[in-house]
Amino acid sequence: MIPKSFDYNTLEDKIYQNWLKSKCFQPKPGKQNDTFTIMMPPPNATGTLHLGHASMLAIQDIIIRFKRMSGYETLWLPGTDHAAIATQDKVENLQFQKTGKNRHDFGREKFLQLVDEFVKQSQETIVKQTKKMGASCDWDQTKFTLDPELQDAVTEMFIRMYNDGLIYRGDRVINWDPKMQTTVADDEVEYKEEYTNFYYFQFGPVVIGTSRPETKFLDDTIVVHPEDQRYKHLIGKEFTHEWINGEITSKVIADESIDMELGTGAMTISPAHSFIDYEIAQKNDLKYERIIDLEGKILSSASKECAGMTIKEARKKVVEILKEKDLVTDIQNNYYHKVAVNYRGGGIIEPQLMEQWFIDVNKTVVDWKDQKMSLKQVMQDVVRSNDIEILPNSQENVYFNWIDKLQDWCISRQIWYGHRIPAWFKDGEVKVQIDSPGEGWKQDPDTLDTWFSSGMWTFSTLGWPNQTEMLKKFHPTDVLETGYDILFFWVARMILMTTYATGQIPFKTVYLHGLVRDKNGDKMSKSKGNGIDPLEVIQKYGTDAVRLSLVMGTRPGQDVRLFEEKIASYRNFVTKIWNSTRFALMNLDFDKIDKEEIDPTKLSEADKWILHETQEMIQTQTELLNQYRLSEAGTKIYDFLWNDFCSWYLEISKKNLNNKVLYLALSDILKMLHPFVPFVTEELWKLLGHKEMLMLEEWPEMNKNLLFPKEKEQIDNLKKTITAIRSVMADFDVSKDSHITIQHKSQTVIETNQDVIKHMAKVKTLELTNDFKHIPKTITQVVTPEITILLHLDQNIDLEAEKEKLSLEASNLNNFIISLEKKLSNKNYTEKAPEHIVEETRQNLETSQKKLTKINQRLKALSE
């Protein structure tokens, strides 16, 4: 007995466990004699599965299932990232809420034990949730960025880069987060809009503008653009004048980086607290003096009067001091600018001049394509030369905009959790090595930027620096699928690290998915209350439906809108798959299937049509999936099952089903559906009597012997005829008891399927004729040059009353169309009105014009 519905809440876990027991996810050689590798972007070990992860898992699983069925030896390697800053911050906050202690109260060793305990629990949760999405990854290969072997790889990488002169320790301005007390990478900085005051101060011979008076205590250099006519006469001169701490001597220099339109075009610089000022100071050999300490407070060396004040307190005090000295010339309110914050914790970034560890991205020591290049040049070359393709291609411009401006990468972090830097200090000497050089040497307390280790993900997980069989077989990987929002965070870092360490690209294709948004296109958040928990909707609608809703209707790099109605509609599709297969199962004679052969002479036109369409769909699906056009592939197989197979073939052949054809077509359809909806198709495959699991079946290949172009054209004409009848009846709102005449030439498919036409078009009276003469009081619609349908109007209607009603409606509609056309011809309207309003007007015009055409057609028919 076949169940009436797919019980996903019971069957999905059971099916997944069967896959695991059967070792279906492990790499196995296939007919392609080639490998295909995806490294799962490791979720942070801090939390739970969210919709971004769910989208990522659905996309990657579709790709890997297709490649596995296509005969590749596939590896989809899962894992988690220690996410150092985020994880340490979360555990410290949890412990403070629980015990009132911070990490310093626990001490480094005890605190890291607490972090490890938290991470272990999080990892277990993440694994369970990933499995709920149907992810067919090789769990035996699971990796964690702090696994001992990966830690060894990170240490080896650091030492190699240091010995090659690519890693150095030096003073540079970096992003400092006073809240979390650590450095932050450039690409981990977010910018939040803020309105503040903009101050104008008299500084010697010029007026300067700034939004940060608290950094100006020690400024003594005025910088102007060399072409600025207002200040050319001052360049190179020195001036003695009053300033915050008393009388100073300042000088004027020129630099082309100055924006003449910003403020007054003249500025002073604070090199220790600004990236731009630091670059200017470097070029002009100026001094660097710190104003603000690591706690975000004013140093006594900068100001005795303001020492210990916070930035906000000092800003207010500086303005008071300068007002007393009559040096404030203007204060503008509501000055718009963007404030840099740490996206991990929200702390305001304070640029600081600090001694840190850096990777030199401009030093030409890397061997690449038989020449020496810098890391930056390699990162540019691999994309520009198409060694790596980024999907969508539009993201390549975004990539280059960032890489071309890439600065040396600060890789040291002042936190405890993470990869400890293998550097040792003693009496001003530094040694970089794994173990302590001896007595009195102290290891650097800092850890490495998380992206340093995750940048090694494609090769460290396969055994590097050892030349393992896994590394030889599965690297470079084939696809990196991740969100476009971490193109800089992770993708670029992986290219940098992998090309240097292995001499290979990390992946051949980068597939960037978009963000998951709500029904209105807004970003989901807890505060808005518009978020969706993937596990909740999986329980309510099933995993297959959730997977489809995350993939269908979106392209690489495009945000996807998700809402319950959408998920529910795809649950209905899963039900359609179940019901159509159930219907087939109830009509199949399994005892005959293996014995039967396809005999074209015994096939109906509909049988040949569905076999032909199935073969073409196999070719289409194969091409689209190989090109990673997943949404397009999903939409086509969705339409094929719902429309071609169910709505047309089963309906046309309901009374004359061919056992073998039904079985072959359905089997191929289930195979093509499997990457998208693995659970329901796997269960139906078993009900079809197969002993092998569907996910291990071979992807279907197009069989040219099952192509029947003549019958395809015939059934297509039949479909067009039925669709046209339905359309004209709906357009003219006529009774289902209508009389239809079909005029046709040499279309036997029309002759032999009269009952099908009447049934599927819901027509009471059907008349066929080979005579293409005009028939009065009918509405004509041409289907093809050989087929025309005529809808006979009701003979009992009051012709004059109906004509009068239609004429009035046509007149009103015509006036409305004229008004819309006039509005759209007005440039003031089309250029100044909101875009969605103008588009709505265009749509109204198009709809009205179509409606008027139908009214005129009906009027013409009534007048004959």
Side-chain angles (χ1 to χ4, degrees), residues 211-237:
S211 62
R212 300 201 62 195
E214 70 278 3
T215 65
K216 298 297 174 184
F217 290 101
L218 303 179
D219 288 10
D220 60 4
T221 303
I222 303 167
V223 190
V224 298
H225 194 280
E227 300 302 320
D228 196 329
Q229 297 299 322
R230 294 170 293 180
Y231 307 115
K232 261 192 171 185
H233 65 288
L234 300 178
I235 296 172
K237 295 181 179 179

Side-chain angles (χ1 to χ4, degrees), residues 646-659:
C646 295
S647 298
W648 291 107
Y649 176 68
L650 293 183
E651 285 296 322
I652 294 172
S653 307
K654 190 169 282 186
K655 296 180 181 178
N656 187 30
L657 284 169
N658 183 294
N659 199 54

Side-chain angles (χ1 to χ4, degrees), residues 77-190:
L77 187 146
T80 48
D81 188 347
H82 65 286
I85 293 177
T87 304
Q88 175 168 309
D89 185 54
K90 186 157 190 173
V91 174
E92 190 164 13
N93 286 336
L94 288 171
Q95 288 300 321
F96 186 78
Q97 293 170 15
K98 185 178 179 181
T99 66
K101 296 180 179 179
N102 61 32
R103 70 179 186 273
H104 299 286
D105 296 323
F106 288 106
R108 188 164 190 153
E109 185 176 349
K110 175 60 179 174
F111 178 73
L112 291 179
Q113 287 178 2
L114 294 172
V115 177
D116 288 339
E117 291 170 8
F118 169 81
V119 167
K120 187 176 181 180
Q121 292 176 351
S122 293
Q123 287 173 322
E124 291 173 356
T125 301
I126 289 168
V127 168
K128 288 178 183 177
Q129 294 172 335
T130 302
K131 290 178 176 179
K132 285 297 290 182
M133 280 299 297
S136 59
C137 47
D138 185 0
W139 292 107
D140 292 341
Q141 298 294 333
T142 304
K143 296 293 188 288
F144 176 46
T145 48
L146 282 179
D147 283 342
E149 63 271 27
L150 268 68
Q151 292 210 52
D152 291 344
V154 168
T155 301
E156 176 68 20
M157 174 68 96
F158 187 96
I159 293 172
R160 286 192 187 187
M161 294 186 88
Y162 178 80
N163 290 336
D164 281 347
L166 287 173
I167 287 181
Y168 67 91
R169 185 170 174 81
D171 288 313
R172 289 181 65 91
V173 172
I174 49 84
N175 299 299
W176 176 259
D177 182 353
K179 178 182 174 184
M180 299 188 76
Q181 287 291 290
T182 184
T183 55
V184 177
D186 292 343
D187 45 19
E188 292 178 311
V189 175
E190 289 182 332

Side-chain angles (χ1 to χ4, degrees), residues 295-308:
E295 299 289 336
K297 295 179 180 179
I298 303 301
L299 289 162
S300 59
S301 58
S303 170
K304 301 296 183 185
E305 192 172 357
C306 298

